[in-house]
Amino acid sequence: MNGLAVLSKAMFQERKDIILSILGGFIAGIAGVALFSASGYMISQTVFAPPLYTLILLTSMVKLLGLLRAASRYGERLYSHQATFSMLSRLRTSFFAKLIPLTPGILNKNRSGDLLARIVGDVESLQNYFLRVAYPPIMVVMVFLATVLFTSAISFWIAVLFILGMLVTAFVVPGIVLLGQRKINGRVREQRALLSTEVTEVLYGFRDLKVYGQLAQREGQLQQASAVLAAEQQRAAGHLLRGQSMHALVTFLISWGVLALGAYLIMDGALAGVFLAMLIMASLTVFEEAAAMATLPAYKEDSEHAAKRLTETVQSTEVLSPQRGGVLPVDHAISIELSGVTFQYEGEWRPALRDISLHISPGSKTAIVGASGSGKSTIIELLLKLRAPTAGDIRLSGLSVNELDETSIWQAANVVLQQSHFFRGTIRDNLLLDGEEHSDDQLSEVLTKVQLPDKSLTDMVYEKGENLSDGEKQRLALARAMLRKGRLWLLDEPTSSLDYVTEQHVLKQLYAQAAKDTLILICHRLAGLEEMDRIVVIDQGKVVETGSYWELMEQKGYFYEMKNIERQMIGEVAHI
Amino acid sequence: MKRNRKSGLISGQMSSQRKNMTLLAVISLALGAAIVSQAGLLAEAVQRVFVERASFSSVIVLLGLLLVVMVVRTLLSYGNGKIGLRMAAAAKTNMRAAVLQNLTHATMPSTLRGQTGGKVSIALDAVDEADSYFSQYMPRMMEAAMIPILILVVTFILHANTGFIMLFTAPFIPLFMILVGLKTKNKSEEKYAQLAEFSGTFLDSLQGLVTLKIFGRAHRQQQEIERSSLGYRDATMGILKIAFTNTFMLESIVMLSIGIVALELAIQLLVFKSMTFHTAFFVLLLVPEFYSLLKNTGTAFHSGRTSMGAVRKVEGMLQETTGESRDTNGNEGAGTSDGIKSEIFHPDDLSRLPSIELDNLRFRYAPDSFELETGRISLGPGEHIAIVGKSGSGKTTLLHLIAGLLKPASGTVLVNGIPLSQYDETAWFQQVSYITQHPYIFAGTLADNIAIGAGGNITRAEIERAAEEAGLAALTAQLEHGLDTIVGEGGRGLSGGEKQRLALARAFLKRPLLILFDEPTVGLDLHTERVLQRSIAKLAKTATMITVAHRLYTIQQADKILFMDNGVLVDSGRHNELLERLPQYAEMVDVQRKGGLSS
């Protein structure tokens, strides 16, 4: 679904606030025009020396109009902002709903952080669409039409002039500005992204660049990119400025036209002279309402760009196969069968997994080991149906993953991902993510099992678990998994930040609970693997060895050598 | 390095743009004149047409003149805008130049302190935010300083009473603007935490979406997002309401002032008959211009303040590192700063394997961090040195000090008996290779990435040989474009092991006299491990090598082991010597082995 369509829907849902703000804006606009027209008219009237009370009446009216204008402006601002923020909430929820089925599919391996931040930013720039893009033309047209209606009672031709002015300011000038806008803005964005990437690169590579004596050259490149960016930005701003000046000139020309036409009509006897000052005042004021039109092109381009990107993001992987209704039974341990599974991340040049075939019998304990980047974690994502294999078939308890409903797999699995996410809230909130009922005693018991007896259930966890150490996060994630009742354990380096002793304590508890379940443990530390039924060694997406710890050590193959290297490790590898 | 106490950066920019400022002032004055003339001509035309009932042809000149004034007025404000943009572009380029120079000339401590994201944001976002100070605030302020006064003077000449009304009401406008600013600022600071909490939920939920899905809570989180977004709305509306109320007051004042002016004019016209229609209408046209200029000033003031905040961020960053960079200059320069003329040593002095002496180095990153201390120790030419210690004990810092990437607070690194600071930096680094755990891969071809390791005049054959020696041949054979494959940002991704081998290839091409090597801790594939051991041994034959060691093998082979504990170089010696006399060392090596073998 289109980004702007989502937006229109949100706008429609906030119609009450929108109508109120349009009403407020309209009254304010009209009151302004009336106020200045009235003062022009009043001054003209003095030439005829009218009785004083008419004047007092007029001036009181002017003041009342002034107050009315200020008050309805207040209302306009209040309701329009209220509507904007409500729309933001709707936009966020609807895009979140759209992203649920697409994650993690849309997350490229490297740039997921950028993508998420971009989605947040784009949704936020969409919220401006109503206030800065959709709203101003409505206002201009309404206030102008009211003014035209009023002036047409005085002079047909002047009314025509107003209509002309409205068309030019509301459509022609913004149209002209928009024409060049897109291209220029595209260039600015490109140049900015380029500079940003280059600055980041230099900062990350600072040490190497310095040693290679490349810093001076790099600085030259950066300075040049920066100068180009400033020049492009100046061009873009200059373009907008030209639009604004054009807008100002048109308003002057219309006022001038009112004067010239009015003078001609008065000479001609078609218009009473007393209205001239009033009409001029009206023409000067009515364009004040159109001031927001001058910034419209910039916002329009921005929010449309955001909408386009959001649409692309949301649509990029809509080829996901529909969920089948198959349910994974959890009354017994689950067997896993991978046959010829290959997986390649989008945009990567080589597959993360190549032709993997594995049979994991129910109730067995398997460790998957290999260098970082060898494709271990991808296996877990495939088992959880978070991603679909490029080729090959995966079966859980004999049922093809394609046929299974993804939620039934998730319910059957106790998962610890490499990067567990924690939310703002208490420890209890974070433990009870799945919404199941557990007594506080149970929760405390689990905390003790994962060697976190000091944590209280009411302790606060900050966003992304910022106030927890890596080790604490891992233990909490383990606790979270241990509270579930699944029969399949999928653990991706669940203890990599724990010291050896704690790791062994925690794993012992976990193995006790998982005694009858199928368990897959991904690890890059090779200690403690003696207890596993089988070890699968992966290198560059391929299975190079499988067997029990002793078998593999006997073979003196890949695993044996890895083990030897690990024995050599000293210092920070494992803080004992 | 002169720096004003207050916003030196802006005043610096301003003084360099004095010409533009003068131009702004002149144009603003002319713009004021145009505004007044426009009102005058309009009033005159209406007077003639309406009051004097002159013929159309008699006002044609007037109309023509008015048209010219209107066009001139537009051009003048366009001109002011243009100058503003020009100033902004120049200021941004200069500021960014200063930031970029600062970043590229930074010493290691400031880059190690991390926060890469924050620095990129300063170089881009903060500098861009400074834009409106020059493009909006300055022109508007200049206009506000000239035009309202001009209008006021004209009004006083035309009709003093109106002038008094304007003079009396005008101060309320900036006053209210400031009040709005202050009140909303206080209120928003008060609610800041709340607002941050609300606005963070969306990103937080997106980041945790996978976890949420697996735990079957994604749809419940949707409601949470709605709740927090609405909470954000309500909190923000609370702040905005205050701002809107103040604006309401402000507009009421403007409107009432205009009403009072109109009433006063009418009374003058009608009761006292002391005024012509022309004057009255003239004044009536000028008054709104006056107030709208003042209102614009308020808006410009607001954006100016935001910009100032951004400029302060840039300044803060520049100042933070000024001391350090001056220090670097003093050390690197030809001794001009301390008045002693010292010789710069050239590559010829570095043609043999270097011996290195550490003479009581002391260093500390920040006042609250531990201090590094080396005592006095010498490392012979061609020796292989291992630095060993727990994580956080200062191993990498010591390596940086030896490399000259960090300047010691006191003490000297002597290379071949000459202080390192007296060598030409470029010449020194030409003899050094630093192989880190996370080598820097830039966007470019594999060949370019390898060639960065050496100066110019590298043949293709040499690059190929280096790649081969570093065990990259198998990889390049797989690639369609071989060594010309684009890697890095936007190119093909390399695995950790491949990056490591690329770093080795750079060293093979460079054939340095000094190798600094941060041994990888985890996660390399076996192939890379083997290549690494073989290649490092080969490279080390013709070089002095200093390794931050994580492998027992490396330290057993080392000619000398430097044992670091909590920043202090505790002892040095061969493996067996240290095992005997240094219990901490023995414990570290031993416990590790136990852990590795385990139960």
Side-chain angles (χ1 to χ4, degrees), chain B residues 428-456:
Chain B
W428 164 247
F429 281 132
Q430 264 167 19
Q431 302 305 329
V432 178
S433 267
Y434 193 149
I435 302 170
T436 62
Q437 292 202 34
H438 304 285
Y440 166 64
I441 312 292
F442 65 90
T445 65
L446 265 175
D448 291 342
N449 263 293
I450 296 172
I452 197 182

PDB file of all heavy atoms in Angstrom, chain B residues 428-456:
ATOM      1  N   TRP B 428      58.467   8.251   9.085  1.00  0.00           N
ATOM      2  CA  TRP B 428      58.360   7.229  10.133  1.00  0.00           C
ATOM      3  C   TRP B 428      57.285   6.216   9.793  1.00  0.00           C
ATOM      4  O   TRP B 428      57.517   5.009   9.791  1.00  0.00           O
ATOM      5  CB  TRP B 428      58.088   7.914  11.472  1.00  0.00           C
ATOM      6  CG  TRP B 428      57.588   7.008  12.563  1.00  0.00           C
ATOM      7  CD1 TRP B 428      56.353   7.031  13.123  1.00  0.00           C
ATOM      8  CD2 TRP B 428      58.307   5.963  13.237  1.00  0.00           C
ATOM      9  NE1 TRP B 428      56.242   6.079  14.091  1.00  0.00           N
ATOM     10  CE2 TRP B 428      57.429   5.398  14.187  1.00  0.00           C
ATOM     11  CE3 TRP B 428      59.598   5.443  13.121  1.00  0.00           C
ATOM     12  CZ2 TRP B 428      57.799   4.348  15.024  1.00  0.00           C
ATOM     13  CZ3 TRP B 428      59.963   4.388  13.959  1.00  0.00           C
ATOM     14  CH2 TRP B 428      59.074   3.864  14.891  1.00  0.00           C
ATOM     15  N   PHE B 429      56.121   6.718   9.447  1.00  0.00           N
ATOM     16  CA  PHE B 429      55.018   5.789   9.178  1.00  0.00           C
ATOM     17  C   PHE B 429      55.273   4.957   7.924  1.00  0.00           C
ATOM     18  O   PHE B 429      54.693   3.907   7.754  1.00  0.00           O
ATOM     19  CB  PHE B 429      53.683   6.540   9.079  1.00  0.00           C
ATOM     20  CG  PHE B 429      53.121   6.893  10.421  1.00  0.00           C
ATOM     21  CD1 PHE B 429      52.661   8.180  10.689  1.00  0.00           C
ATOM     22  CD2 PHE B 429      53.036   5.946  11.428  1.00  0.00           C
ATOM     23  CE1 PHE B 429      52.144   8.509  11.934  1.00  0.00           C
ATOM     24  CE2 PHE B 429      52.519   6.262  12.675  1.00  0.00           C
ATOM     25  CZ  PHE B 429      52.074   7.544  12.924  1.00  0.00           C
ATOM     26  N   GLN B 430      56.151   5.441   7.047  1.00  0.00           N
ATOM     27  CA  GLN B 430      56.478   4.641   5.865  1.00  0.00           C
ATOM     28  C   GLN B 430      57.172   3.342   6.251  1.00  0.00           C
ATOM     29  O   GLN B 430      57.196   2.393   5.483  1.00  0.00           O
ATOM     30  CB  GLN B 430      57.367   5.439   4.917  1.00  0.00           C
ATOM     31  CG  GLN B 430      56.558   6.120   3.826  1.00  0.00           C
ATOM     32  CD  GLN B 430      57.378   7.159   3.088  1.00  0.00           C
ATOM     33  OE1 GLN B 430      58.604   7.134   3.130  1.00  0.00           O
ATOM     34  NE2 GLN B 430      56.689   8.069   2.431  1.00  0.00           N
ATOM     35  N   GLN B 431      57.751   3.322   7.418  1.00  0.00           N
ATOM     36  CA  GLN B 431      58.475   2.123   7.851  1.00  0.00           C
ATOM     37  C   GLN B 431      57.649   1.272   8.810  1.00  0.00           C
ATOM     38  O   GLN B 431      58.142   0.289   9.342  1.00  0.00           O
ATOM     39  CB  GLN B 431      59.789   2.530   8.537  1.00  0.00           C
ATOM     40  CG  GLN B 431      60.710   3.350   7.665  1.00  0.00           C
ATOM     41  CD  GLN B 431      61.022   2.653   6.351  1.00  0.00           C
ATOM     42  OE1 GLN B 431      61.056   1.435   6.273  1.00  0.00           O
ATOM     43  NE2 GLN B 431      61.222   3.444   5.312  1.00  0.00           N
ATOM     44  N   VAL B 432      56.414   1.664   9.047  1.00  0.00           N
ATOM     45  CA  VAL B 432      55.607   0.977  10.056  1.00  0.00           C
ATOM     46  C   VAL B 432      54.392   0.312   9.413  1.00  0.00           C
ATOM     47  O   VAL B 432      53.740   0.896   8.551  1.00  0.00           O
ATOM     48  CB  VAL B 432      55.111   1.991  11.118  1.00  0.00           C
ATOM     49  CG1 VAL B 432      54.229   1.298  12.149  1.00  0.00           C
ATOM     50  CG2 VAL B 432      56.291   2.673  11.796  1.00  0.00           C
ATOM     51  N   SER B 433      54.094  -0.892   9.833  1.00  0.00           N
ATOM     52  CA  SER B 433      52.799  -1.496   9.501  1.00  0.00           C
ATOM     53  C   SER B 433      52.063  -1.778  10.800  1.00  0.00           C
ATOM     54  O   SER B 433      52.664  -2.251  11.765  1.00  0.00           O
ATOM     55  CB  SER B 433      52.984  -2.807   8.745  1.00  0.00           C
ATOM     56  OG  SER B 433      52.952  -2.569   7.377  1.00  0.00           O
ATOM     57  N   TYR B 434      50.798  -1.473  10.808  1.00  0.00           N
ATOM     58  CA  TYR B 434      50.001  -1.710  12.004  1.00  0.00           C
ATOM     59  C   TYR B 434      48.848  -2.611  11.583  1.00  0.00           C
ATOM     60  O   TYR B 434      47.973  -2.193  10.851  1.00  0.00           O
ATOM     61  CB  TYR B 434      49.494  -0.364  12.547  1.00  0.00           C
ATOM     62  CG  TYR B 434      48.909  -0.444  13.947  1.00  0.00           C
ATOM     63  CD1 TYR B 434      48.998   0.635  14.816  1.00  0.00           C
ATOM     64  CD2 TYR B 434      48.255  -1.582  14.387  1.00  0.00           C
ATOM     65  CE1 TYR B 434      48.459   0.589  16.084  1.00  0.00           C
ATOM     66  CE2 TYR B 434      47.720  -1.643  15.657  1.00  0.00           C
ATOM     67  CZ  TYR B 434      47.836  -0.556  16.497  1.00  0.00           C
ATOM     68  OH  TYR B 434      47.298  -0.615  17.748  1.00  0.00           O
ATOM     69  N   ILE B 435      48.886  -3.840  12.036  1.00  0.00           N
ATOM     70  CA  ILE B 435      47.835  -4.790  11.638  1.00  0.00           C
ATOM     71  C   ILE B 435      46.880  -4.954  12.817  1.00  0.00           C
ATOM     72  O   ILE B 435      47.267  -5.457  13.870  1.00  0.00           O
ATOM     73  CB  ILE B 435      48.437  -6.137  11.230  1.00  0.00           C
ATOM     74  CG1 ILE B 435      49.414  -5.898  10.076  1.00  0.00           C
ATOM     75  CG2 ILE B 435      47.347  -7.107  10.813  1.00  0.00           C
ATOM     76  CD1 ILE B 435      50.259  -7.096   9.742  1.00  0.00           C
ATOM     77  N   THR B 436      45.667  -4.472  12.639  1.00  0.00           N
ATOM     78  CA  THR B 436      44.715  -4.473  13.745  1.00  0.00           C
ATOM     79  C   THR B 436      43.695  -5.582  13.578  1.00  0.00           C
ATOM     80  O   THR B 436      43.638  -6.257  12.551  1.00  0.00           O
ATOM     81  CB  THR B 436      43.947  -3.143  13.810  1.00  0.00           C
ATOM     82  OG1 THR B 436      43.208  -3.015  12.595  1.00  0.00           O
ATOM     83  CG2 THR B 436      44.884  -1.976  13.952  1.00  0.00           C
ATOM     84  N   GLN B 437      42.890  -5.747  14.609  1.00  0.00           N
ATOM     85  CA  GLN B 437      41.832  -6.756  14.543  1.00  0.00           C
ATOM     86  C   GLN B 437      40.736  -6.348  13.566  1.00  0.00           C
ATOM     87  O   GLN B 437      40.020  -7.176  13.048  1.00  0.00           O
ATOM     88  CB  GLN B 437      41.202  -6.945  15.930  1.00  0.00           C
ATOM     89  CG  GLN B 437      42.158  -7.569  16.893  1.00  0.00           C
ATOM     90  CD  GLN B 437      41.416  -8.233  18.019  1.00  0.00           C
ATOM     91  OE1 GLN B 437      40.336  -8.775  17.834  1.00  0.00           O
ATOM     92  NE2 GLN B 437      41.986  -8.202  19.202  1.00  0.00           N
ATOM     93  N   HIS B 438      40.584  -5.038  13.380  1.00  0.00           N
ATOM     94  CA  HIS B 438      39.530  -4.564  12.472  1.00  0.00           C
ATOM     95  C   HIS B 438      40.144  -3.630  11.451  1.00  0.00           C
ATOM     96  O   HIS B 438      40.034  -2.431  11.555  1.00  0.00           O
ATOM     97  CB  HIS B 438      38.428  -3.854  13.250  1.00  0.00           C
ATOM     98  CG  HIS B 438      37.840  -4.706  14.317  1.00  0.00           C
ATOM     99  ND1 HIS B 438      36.984  -5.737  14.022  1.00  0.00           N
ATOM    100  CD2 HIS B 438      38.022  -4.719  15.645  1.00  0.00           C
ATOM    101  CE1 HIS B 438      36.657  -6.346  15.152  1.00  0.00           C
ATOM    102  NE2 HIS B 438      37.264  -5.746  16.157  1.00  0.00           N
ATOM    103  N   PRO B 439      40.818  -4.211  10.456  1.00  0.00           N
ATOM    104  CA  PRO B 439      41.479  -3.337   9.488  1.00  0.00           C
ATOM    105  C   PRO B 439      40.462  -2.496   8.723  1.00  0.00           C
ATOM    106  O   PRO B 439      39.303  -2.890   8.558  1.00  0.00           O
ATOM    107  CB  PRO B 439      42.196  -4.309   8.555  1.00  0.00           C
ATOM    108  CG  PRO B 439      41.729  -5.662   8.881  1.00  0.00           C
ATOM    109  CD  PRO B 439      40.949  -5.624  10.140  1.00  0.00           C
ATOM    110  N   TYR B 440      40.938  -1.368   8.299  1.00  0.00           N
ATOM    111  CA  TYR B 440      40.090  -0.403   7.622  1.00  0.00           C
ATOM    112  C   TYR B 440      40.018  -0.746   6.145  1.00  0.00           C
ATOM    113  O   TYR B 440      41.032  -0.822   5.460  1.00  0.00           O
ATOM    114  CB  TYR B 440      40.695   0.980   7.826  1.00  0.00           C
ATOM    115  CG  TYR B 440      40.149   2.038   6.945  1.00  0.00           C
ATOM    116  CD1 TYR B 440      38.815   2.415   7.050  1.00  0.00           C
ATOM    117  CD2 TYR B 440      40.955   2.684   6.017  1.00  0.00           C
ATOM    118  CE1 TYR B 440      38.312   3.401   6.243  1.00  0.00           C
ATOM    119  CE2 TYR B 440      40.451   3.677   5.212  1.00  0.00           C
ATOM    120  CZ  TYR B 440      39.130   4.026   5.321  1.00  0.00           C
ATOM    121  OH  TYR B 440      38.624   4.999   4.522  1.00  0.00           O
ATOM    122  N   ILE B 441      38.821  -0.985   5.661  1.00  0.00           N
ATOM    123  CA  ILE B 441      38.622  -1.269   4.242  1.00  0.00           C
ATOM    124  C   ILE B 441      37.864  -0.084   3.665  1.00  0.00           C
ATOM    125  O   ILE B 441      36.781   0.239   4.132  1.00  0.00           O
ATOM    126  CB  ILE B 441      37.770  -2.537   4.031  1.00  0.00           C
ATOM    127  CG1 ILE B 441      38.278  -3.695   4.886  1.00  0.00           C
ATOM    128  CG2 ILE B 441      37.723  -2.910   2.555  1.00  0.00           C
ATOM    129  CD1 ILE B 441      39.599  -4.244   4.503  1.00  0.00           C
ATOM    130  N   PHE B 442      38.431   0.582   2.693  1.00  0.00           N
ATOM    131  CA  PHE B 442      37.692   1.714   2.126  1.00  0.00           C
ATOM    132  C   PHE B 442      37.037   1.302   0.822  1.00  0.00           C
ATOM    133  O   PHE B 442      37.361   0.257   0.245  1.00  0.00           O
ATOM    134  CB  PHE B 442      38.606   2.929   1.948  1.00  0.00           C
ATOM    135  CG  PHE B 442      39.707   2.739   0.947  1.00  0.00           C
ATOM    136  CD1 PHE B 442      39.510   3.061  -0.388  1.00  0.00           C
ATOM    137  CD2 PHE B 442      40.944   2.251   1.341  1.00  0.00           C
ATOM    138  CE1 PHE B 442      40.529   2.892  -1.310  1.00  0.00           C
ATOM    139  CE2 PHE B 442      41.965   2.083   0.421  1.00  0.00           C
ATOM    140  CZ  PHE B 442      41.756   2.401  -0.914  1.00  0.00           C
ATOM    141  N   ALA B 443      36.104   2.102   0.374  1.00  0.00           N
ATOM    142  CA  ALA B 443      35.394   1.797  -0.859  1.00  0.00           C
ATOM    143  C   ALA B 443      36.356   1.954  -2.028  1.00  0.00           C
ATOM    144  O   ALA B 443      36.880   3.039  -2.272  1.00  0.00           O
ATOM    145  CB  ALA B 443      34.189   2.720  -1.014  1.00  0.00           C
ATOM    146  N   GLY B 444      36.607   0.873  -2.712  1.00  0.00           N
ATOM    147  CA  GLY B 444      37.542   0.885  -3.830  1.00  0.00           C
ATOM    148  C   GLY B 444      37.829  -0.549  -4.223  1.00  0.00           C
ATOM    149  O   GLY B 444      37.239  -1.475  -3.657  1.00  0.00           O
ATOM    150  N   THR B 445      38.708  -0.760  -5.152  1.00  0.00           N
ATOM    151  CA  THR B 445      38.980  -2.137  -5.556  1.00  0.00           C
ATOM    152  C   THR B 445      39.877  -2.806  -4.517  1.00  0.00           C
ATOM    153  O   THR B 445      40.498  -2.134  -3.698  1.00  0.00           O
ATOM    154  CB  THR B 445      39.704  -2.195  -6.922  1.00  0.00           C
ATOM    155  OG1 THR B 445      40.982  -1.587  -6.747  1.00  0.00           O
ATOM    156  CG2 THR B 445      38.919  -1.471  -7.993  1.00  0.00           C
ATOM    157  N   LEU B 446      39.917  -4.124  -4.607  1.00  0.00           N
ATOM    158  CA  LEU B 446      40.799  -4.877  -3.724  1.00  0.00           C
ATOM    159  C   LEU B 446      42.239  -4.403  -3.921  1.00  0.00           C
ATOM    160  O   LEU B 446      42.979  -4.195  -2.956  1.00  0.00           O
ATOM    161  CB  LEU B 446      40.707  -6.366  -4.060  1.00  0.00           C
ATOM    162  CG  LEU B 446      39.739  -7.216  -3.253  1.00  0.00           C
ATOM    163  CD1 LEU B 446      39.711  -8.623  -3.824  1.00  0.00           C
ATOM    164  CD2 LEU B 446      40.153  -7.251  -1.794  1.00  0.00           C
ATOM    165  N   ALA B 447      42.612  -4.207  -5.194  1.00  0.00           N
ATOM    166  CA  ALA B 447      43.983  -3.785  -5.496  1.00  0.00           C
ATOM    167  C   ALA B 447      44.282  -2.427  -4.849  1.00  0.00           C
ATOM    168  O   ALA B 447      45.334  -2.247  -4.226  1.00  0.00           O
ATOM    169  CB  ALA B 447      44.176  -3.709  -7.010  1.00  0.00           C
ATOM    170  N   ASP B 448      43.353  -1.492  -4.976  1.00  0.00           N
ATOM    171  CA  ASP B 448      43.544  -0.168  -4.346  1.00  0.00           C
ATOM    172  C   ASP B 448      43.726  -0.317  -2.844  1.00  0.00           C
ATOM    173  O   ASP B 448      44.552   0.349  -2.226  1.00  0.00           O
ATOM    174  CB  ASP B 448      42.319   0.726  -4.572  1.00  0.00           C
ATOM    175  CG  ASP B 448      42.173   1.127  -6.019  1.00  0.00           C
ATOM    176  OD1 ASP B 448      43.179   0.998  -6.751  1.00  0.00           O
ATOM    177  OD2 ASP B 448      41.072   1.542  -6.422  1.00  0.00           O
ATOM    178  N   ASN B 449      42.919  -1.194  -2.283  1.00  0.00           N
ATOM    179  CA  ASN B 449      42.963  -1.381  -0.838  1.00  0.00           C
ATOM    180  C   ASN B 449      44.300  -1.969  -0.386  1.00  0.00           C
ATOM    181  O   ASN B 449      44.768  -1.670   0.700  1.00  0.00           O
ATOM    182  CB  ASN B 449      41.821  -2.285  -0.381  1.00  0.00           C
ATOM    183  CG  ASN B 449      40.638  -1.488   0.125  1.00  0.00           C
ATOM    184  OD1 ASN B 449      40.722  -0.835   1.147  1.00  0.00           O
ATOM    185  ND2 ASN B 449      39.546  -1.505  -0.622  1.00  0.00           N
ATOM    186  N   ILE B 450      44.877  -2.807  -1.229  1.00  0.00           N
ATOM    187  CA  ILE B 450      46.189  -3.359  -0.880  1.00  0.00           C
ATOM    188  C   ILE B 450      47.261  -2.295  -1.090  1.00  0.00           C
ATOM    189  O   ILE B 450      48.152  -2.113  -0.269  1.00  0.00           O
ATOM    190  CB  ILE B 450      46.495  -4.615  -1.735  1.00  0.00           C
ATOM    191  CG1 ILE B 450      45.482  -5.707  -1.391  1.00  0.00           C
ATOM    192  CG2 ILE B 450      47.908  -5.109  -1.479  1.00  0.00           C
ATOM    193  CD1 ILE B 450      45.549  -6.910  -2.287  1.00  0.00           C
ATOM    194  N   ALA B 451      47.125  -1.534  -2.174  1.00  0.00           N
ATOM    195  CA  ALA B 451      48.164  -0.575  -2.549  1.00  0.00           C
ATOM    196  C   ALA B 451      48.282   0.574  -1.551  1.00  0.00           C
ATOM    197  O   ALA B 451      49.299   1.258  -1.511  1.00  0.00           O
ATOM    198  CB  ALA B 451      47.896  -0.026  -3.941  1.00  0.00           C
ATOM    199  N   ILE B 452      47.242   0.769  -0.730  1.00  0.00           N
ATOM    200  CA  ILE B 452      47.300   1.848   0.251  1.00  0.00           C
ATOM    201  C   ILE B 452      48.477   1.618   1.201  1.00  0.00           C
ATOM    202  O   ILE B 452      48.996   2.534   1.818  1.00  0.00           O
ATOM    203  CB  ILE B 452      45.972   1.942   1.037  1.00  0.00           C
ATOM    204  CG1 ILE B 452      45.867   3.292   1.745  1.00  0.00           C
ATOM    205  CG2 ILE B 452      45.838   0.829   2.027  1.00  0.00           C
ATOM    206  CD1 ILE B 452      44.636   3.458   2.580  1.00  0.00           C
ATOM    207  N   GLY B 453      48.922   0.362   1.256  1.00  0.00           N
ATOM    208  CA  GLY B 453      50.002   0.017   2.175  1.00  0.00           C
ATOM    209  C   GLY B 453      51.347   0.599   1.788  1.00  0.00           C
ATOM    210  O   GLY B 453      52.251   0.648   2.595  1.00  0.00           O
ATOM    211  N   ALA B 454      51.502   1.016   0.555  1.00  0.00           N
ATOM    212  CA  ALA B 454      52.809   1.507   0.140  1.00  0.00           C
ATOM    213  C   ALA B 454      52.655   2.836  -0.574  1.00  0.00           C
ATOM    214  O   ALA B 454      51.560   3.232  -0.920  1.00  0.00           O
ATOM    215  CB  ALA B 454      53.451   0.491  -0.798  1.00  0.00           C
ATOM    216  N   GLY B 455      53.738   3.516  -0.783  1.00  0.00           N
ATOM    217  CA  GLY B 455      53.690   4.785  -1.508  1.00  0.00           C
ATOM    218  C   GLY B 455      53.375   4.530  -2.970  1.00  0.00           C
ATOM    219  O   GLY B 455      52.838   3.496  -3.333  1.00  0.00           O
ATOM    220  N   GLY B 456      53.712   5.480  -3.825  1.00  0.00           N
ATOM    221  CA  GLY B 456      53.422   5.322  -5.257  1.00  0.00           C
ATOM    222  C   GLY B 456      54.297   4.255  -5.877  1.00  0.00           C
ATOM    223  O   GLY B 456      54.928   3.446  -5.186  1.00  0.00           O
TER     224      GLY B 456
END
